[in-house]
């Protein structure tokens, strides 16, 4: 770290443990919120949720920043600067600031840039990047945003200009001018989705969902007939050369590997990916004395044989749509959007996760659903009851998660992606989604529902809406990537 200065620091924290021990309690929760009524002109929005327990507006949405555009489908968000920019080169003329939130839109391919510093409770859109900008580089379906230590911002993409599958990344400079695509060389990933990087080991890993032409219309039988248009692979890139050098096919168990995380410790080249469709978690690690990685299944959540009312029993996979790792790399949290549960695993031994907590928050097999018959369940002896918080039945299932820096609070939203919400949980769409809070025992393990916390999106100004990803203004477990101090 000889070229780093001790007097100037960028945003975030020096290490993940610094963030866990010294980071403040979260007070605001920026929540991506989707308008399911495609005729509503105000469109999607960013909800500012007050999560300060001493505030008079605790558990309330205190501001809504609308895109005022139909059909965007805001989904994930990221920062212009995070903990990867903490160590500042001594020759740098500027010190990075975390002051812009980046909001890509899955369906319109627009990207919205928000000022979150002038008034943190009232973010404001200061720049809109037209979807034609991405199409001009033959990419669409922007998903994950991460800042880079050099000041650029990178967004993963899932399609080409025609909506067919394509795994790549689009780069913007610090002023949000488009630089172009990131991947160099002839070799390209078949599909794209999420990504995480570790410069110390000169590696970046990405996961795969599928072609925008497929998922934008909802799930259909036969979608997996062409696995060039739906994902089942992990892709590893040389960080320094921006080239794809290894692809691991996870097979049928690994169809739709979505959220992917290296451990937070930047000197541990290992991590996890949640595979949605069949509810498996794979662990991956760098081979000894090699740049190659290997992957193995370490969590296997069996499907359930369920008749959902059509007289035909079919396999219902858990649909793992999010995973999150505590900043001390001790606990892994996994959701099952269809089965309805959130699970906590101790990953002290990452190759052998131990289940330490499980909590049902709705789902598609609740005991009060009259037309549902569970014919076979390899885990449960009886169907879980419906969950109520403050008198409200939780519709839908547990979806995106965000963990407090100290690891003691886990926020959980209910919406996956509005076309899929409409297909699998139409009642949630008509009544609005929600955010609930899980209290975490960080000493012994275990999770419990906080019965006093509920953010209800059923009575929004322009109709019920659907909350998805959540962020804290100062960074969190899924936005911030740490670099080794001698990287």
């Amino acid at each position: 770290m000889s070229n780093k200065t001790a007097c100037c620091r960028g945003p975030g924290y020096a290490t993940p443990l610094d963030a866990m021990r010294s980071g403040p309690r979260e007070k605001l929760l920026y929540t991506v919120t989707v308008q399911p009524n495609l005729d509503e002109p105000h469109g999607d929005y960013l909800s500012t949720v007050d999560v300060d327990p001493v505030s008079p507006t605790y558990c309330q949405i205190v501001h809504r920043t609308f895109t005022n555009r139909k059909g965007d489908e805001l989904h994930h968000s990221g920062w212009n600067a995070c903990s990867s920019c903490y160590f500042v080169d001594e020759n740098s003329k500027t010190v990075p600031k975390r002051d812009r939130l980046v909001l890509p839109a899955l369906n319109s391919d627009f990207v919205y840039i928000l000022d979150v510093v002038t008034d943190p409770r009232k973010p404001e859109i200061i720049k809109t990047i037209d979807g034609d900008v991405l199409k001009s580089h033959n990419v669409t379906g922007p998903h994950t945003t991460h800042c880079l230590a050099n000041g650029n911002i990178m967004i993963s993409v899932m399609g080409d200009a025609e909506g067919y599958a394509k795994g790549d990344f689009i780069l913007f400079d610090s002023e949000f001018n488009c630089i172009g695509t990131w991947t160099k060389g002839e070799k390209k990933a078949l599909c794209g989705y999420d990504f995480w990087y570790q410069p110390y080991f000169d590696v970046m890993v990405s996961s795969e969902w599928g072609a925008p032409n497929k998922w934008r219309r909802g799930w259909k039988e036969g979608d997996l007939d062409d696995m060039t248009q739906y994902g089942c692979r992990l892709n590893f890139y040389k960080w320094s050369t921006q080239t794809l050098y290894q692809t691991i096919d996870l097979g049928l168990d690994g169809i739709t590997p979505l959220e992917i995380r290296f451990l937070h410790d930047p000197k541990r080249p290992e991590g996890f990916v949640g595979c949605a469709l069949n509810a498996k978690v794979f662990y991956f690690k760098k081979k000894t004395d090699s740049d190659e990685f290997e992957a193995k299944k370490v969590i296997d959540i069996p499907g359930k044989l369920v008749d959902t009312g059509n007289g035909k029993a079919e396999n219902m996979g858990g649909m793992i749509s999010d995973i999150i790792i505590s900043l001390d790399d001790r606990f892994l949290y996994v959701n099952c959007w269809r089965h309805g549960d959130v699970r906590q695993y101790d990953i002290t031994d990452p190759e052998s996760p131990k289940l330490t907590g499980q909590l049902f928050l709705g789902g598609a097999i609740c005991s009060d659903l009259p037309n549902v018959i569970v014919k076979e369940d390899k885990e449960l002896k009886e169907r879980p009851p419906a969950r109520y918080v403050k008198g409200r039945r939780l519709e839908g299932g547990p979806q995106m998660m965000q963990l407090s820096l100290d690891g003691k609070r886990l926020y959980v939203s209910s919406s996956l992606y509005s076309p899929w919400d409409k297909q699998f949980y139409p009642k949630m769409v008509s009544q609005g989604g929600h955010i609930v809070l899980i209290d975490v025992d960080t000493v012994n393990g275990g999770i419990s529902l906080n019965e006093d916390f509920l953010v209800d999106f059923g009575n929004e100004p322009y109709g019920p809406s659907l909350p998805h990803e959540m962020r804290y203004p100062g960074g969190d477990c899924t936005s911030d990537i740490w670099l080794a101090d001698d990287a």
Side-chain angles (χ1 to χ4, degrees):
M1 211 175 75
S2 58
N3 64 330
K4 309 293 184 183
T5 175
C7 64
C8 297
R9 294 297 189 223
Y13 304 86
T15 70
L17 291 181
D18 283 346
M20 191 171 195
R21 295 165 181 163
S22 306
R25 177 173 176 137
E26 66 284 355
K27 294 185 178 181
L28 296 176
L29 195 63
Y30 293 144
T31 304
V32 172
T33 311
V34 173
Q35 170 56 258
N37 178 3
L38 299 181
D39 294 324
E40 215 307 303
H42 293 84
D44 301 343
Y45 51 103
L46 185 74
S47 298
T48 303
V49 180
D50 187 336
V51 292
D52 182 355
V54 301
S55 169
T57 53
Y58 180 56
C59 284
Q60 296 179 31
I61 301 169
V62 296
H63 185 74
R64 299 164 184 85
T65 306
F66 293 93
T67 65
N68 292 307
R69 189 179 188 281
K70 299 178 185 179
D72 275 322
E73 191 76 30
L74 299 180
H75 197 65
H76 282 207
S77 62
W79 297 106
N80 66 319
C82 74
S83 292
S84 67
C85 308
Y86 180 81
F87 294 108
V88 180
D89 190 285
E90 61 184 7
N91 298 315
S92 177
K93 296 180 180 179
T94 60
V95 177
K97 295 180 180 180
R98 190 197 307 262
D99 57 4
R100 300 290 184 261
L101 186 66
V102 182
L103 277 174
L106 280 183
N107 288 358
S108 68
D109 307 312
F110 274 54
V111 181
Y112 298 92
I113 312 301
L114 281 71
D115 172 6
V116 296
V117 169
T118 301
D119 186 345
R121 292 173 71 91
K122 297 180 180 180
E124 179 184 0
I125 295 174
I126 58 168
K127 183 171 184 176
T128 299
I129 300 168
D130 194 282
D132 288 339
V133 173
L134 271 66
K135 290 185 178 70
S136 71
H137 294 278
N138 194 30
V139 295
T140 56
H143 188 268
T144 298
T145 301
H146 280 304
C147 65
L148 310 184
N150 64 5
N152 290 338
I153 298 98
M154 188 155 81
I155 305 175
S156 62
V157 293
M158 294 181 278
D160 64 14
E162 302 300 319
Y164 294 101
K166 178 181 182 178
D168 208 340
F169 312 87
I170 191 80
L171 276 173
F172 294 86
D173 66 20
S174 59
E175 298 300 318
F176 304 102
N177 301 302
C178 190
I179 298 172
T181 54
W182 182 83
T183 309
K184 296 181 178 179
E186 295 299 319
K187 196 173 182 181
K188 300 291 194 299
L190 289 174
C191 303
Y193 189 72
D194 196 17
F195 71 101
W196 202 276
Y197 57 82
Q198 273 196 342
Y200 185 80
F201 295 99
D202 195 24
V203 67
M204 182 179 83
V205 63
S206 71
S207 59
E208 299 184 336
W209 184 8
N213 286 343
K214 297 281 189 178
W215 44 256
R216 281 175 177 166
R217 55 154 167 72
W219 173 262
K220 287 188 177 181
E221 290 295 329
D223 273 350
L224 302 181
D225 291 347
D226 182 358
M227 289 308 294
T228 68
Q229 298 300 301
Y230 248 93
C232 62
R233 296 158 291 262
L234 303 184
N235 298 293
F236 295 87
Y237 298 79
K238 285 284 185 184
W239 185 246
S240 57
T241 61
Q242 301 171 210
T243 53
L244 176 63
Y245 73 92
Q246 183 188 8
T247 296
I248 298 177
D249 191 323
L250 301 177
L252 292 177
D253 278 343
I255 291 174
T256 55
L258 298 184
E259 307 302 328
I260 193 163
R261 322 282 187 216
F262 272 116
L263 296 185
H264 294 291
D265 183 341
K267 290 190 175 182
R268 292 182 65 181
E270 53 191 323
F272 296 90
V273 61
C275 300
L277 188 63
N278 294 316
K280 319 298 180 191
V281 176
F282 280 76
Y283 165 74
F284 58 90
K285 69 175 180 178
K286 184 175 176 290
K287 297 179 182 178
T288 304
D289 300 322
S290 172
D291 290 334
E292 297 278 304
F293 279 72
E294 56 189 353
K296 72 172 185 177
K297 182 175 60 178
V298 292
I299 297 174
D300 188 340
I301 299 172
K304 305 177 190 299
L305 194 61
V306 182
D307 178 352
T308 57
N310 59 6
K312 182 180 178 181
E314 297 178 309
N315 180 69
M316 179 188 288
M319 190 73 76
I320 294 175
S321 50
D322 197 17
I323 64 170
I324 195 166
I325 300 172
S326 61
L327 289 177
D328 57 0
D329 292 327
R330 182 185 171 192
F331 291 116
L332 171 71
Y333 297 89
V334 176
N335 76 335
C336 287
W337 190 61
R338 293 289 281 142
H339 291 174
D341 57 319
V342 172
R343 303 181 183 215
Q344 178 198 57
Y345 292 88
D346 187 320
I347 54 170
T348 302
D349 176 2
E351 297 194 46
S352 183
K354 304 298 183 186
L355 182 65
T356 50
Q358 184 178 19
L359 186 62
F360 280 87
L361 299 171
I365 60 166
C366 292
S367 58
D368 66 343
L369 296 173
N371 296 323
V372 172
I373 302 173
V374 178
K375 297 292 185 77
E376 181 183 73
D377 192 326
K378 296 178 180 178
E379 289 189 311
L380 303 176
K381 294 181 179 180
E382 59 183 21
R383 291 162 59 184
R387 177 71 71 170
Y388 289 80
V389 180
K390 292 188 171 181
R392 188 191 199 275
R393 188 186 189 279
L394 300 185
E395 302 294 343
Q399 217 292 302
M400 294 306 293
M401 300 178 288
Q402 192 52 262
L403 188 65
S404 61
L405 297 181
D406 61 11
K408 295 179 179 180
R409 293 167 300 283
L410 182 69
Y411 298 90
V412 184
S413 66
S414 59
S415 167
L416 192 155
Y417 171 59
S418 68
W420 290 37
D421 295 344
K422 292 173 183 178
Q423 181 175 357
F424 293 108
Y425 291 118
K427 195 170 182 179
M428 177 186 69
V429 176
S430 65
Q431 295 187 2
H434 58 263
I435 299 173
V436 295
L437 175 60
I438 293 174
D439 293 322
V440 179
D441 184 340
T442 58
V443 177
N444 303 306
I447 54 178
S448 60
L449 182 65
N450 187 320
E451 302 284 354
D452 297 321
F453 184 97
L454 176 71
V455 184
D456 186 347
F457 288 79
N459 296 303
E460 288 297 272
Y462 303 106
S465 61
L466 303 169
H468 187 65
E469 194 195 47
M470 300 160 285
R471 291 261 174 256
Y472 308 134
D476 49 62
C477 296
T478 55
S479 68
D480 281 38
I481 294 176
W482 279 267
L483 308 186
D485 58 10
D486 51 355

